[in-house]
């Protein structure tokens, strides 16, 4: 049956494939501040790797959407910021999802956010 991957030419075949395009969000650029949120807004910052659109949403620990922004057009390589008004959100732990969609593909990054009153 050809043996394992090291006995066949499997590895060289993998190297010759077309490279996968970079994810729509620059790695490590998703930041939520201030954390914990005591009052006011949560600022969600990120950098898209190419032109597209982005949105942020807050989910409770059960996965229910608490708050969401509208889609924002973003420019590749330029940092963007989305503000979420958390004045009416109860104290507790939440997850902040940042979705970036570009060229028919997309990526989602998740951070934990605390709301303290």
């Amino acid at each position: 049956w050809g043996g394992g991957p090291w006995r066949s030419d499997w590895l060289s075949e993998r190297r010759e494939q077309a490279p996968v395009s970079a994810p729509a969000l620059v790695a490590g650029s998703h930041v939520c501040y201030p954390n914990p949120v005591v009052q006011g807004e949560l600022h969600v910052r990120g950098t898209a790797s190419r032109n597209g659109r982005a949105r942020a949403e807050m989910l409770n620990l059960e996965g229910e959407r608490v708050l969401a922004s509208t889609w924002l057009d973003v420019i590749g390589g330029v940092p963007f910021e989305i503000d979420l008004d958390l004045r009416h959100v109860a104290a507790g732990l939440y997850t902040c999802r940042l979705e970036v969609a570009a060229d028919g593909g997309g990526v989602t990054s998740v951070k934990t956010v605390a709301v303290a009153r």
Side-chain angles (χ1 to χ4, degrees):
W1 61 276
W6 299 113
R7 293 185 181 197
S8 66
D9 207 17
W10 176 81
L11 185 59
S12 62
E13 290 173 11
R14 299 284 296 176
R15 287 185 186 151
E16 293 172 9
Q17 292 179 354
V20 177
S21 62
L25 181 67
V26 173
S29 68
H30 179 196
V31 178
C32 298
Y33 68 93
N35 195 3
V37 178
V38 177
Q39 59 185 346
E41 294 182 332
L42 174 71
H43 306 283
V44 182
R45 180 171 273 211
T47 303
S49 61
R50 53 192 183 273
N51 293 349
R53 57 190 194 143
R55 76 171 176 175
E57 60 184 3
M58 294 284 292
L59 305 171
N60 63 19
L61 294 182
E62 295 176 350
E64 299 168 334
R65 183 184 301 165
V66 175
L67 189 64
S69 72
T70 59
W71 285 99
L72 171 73
D73 290 328
V74 294
I75 300 170
V78 178
F80 62 87
E81 188 169 293
I82 300 171
D83 297 328
L84 297 175
D85 185 5
L86 301 184
R87 288 180 291 171
H88 303 292
V89 174
L93 285 176
Y94 296 87
T95 57
C96 175
R97 289 183 59 204
L98 177 61
E99 291 182 69
V100 179
D103 298 334
V107 68
T108 301
S109 178
V110 179
K111 299 287 183 183
T112 302
V113 175
V115 176
R117 303 281 182 220

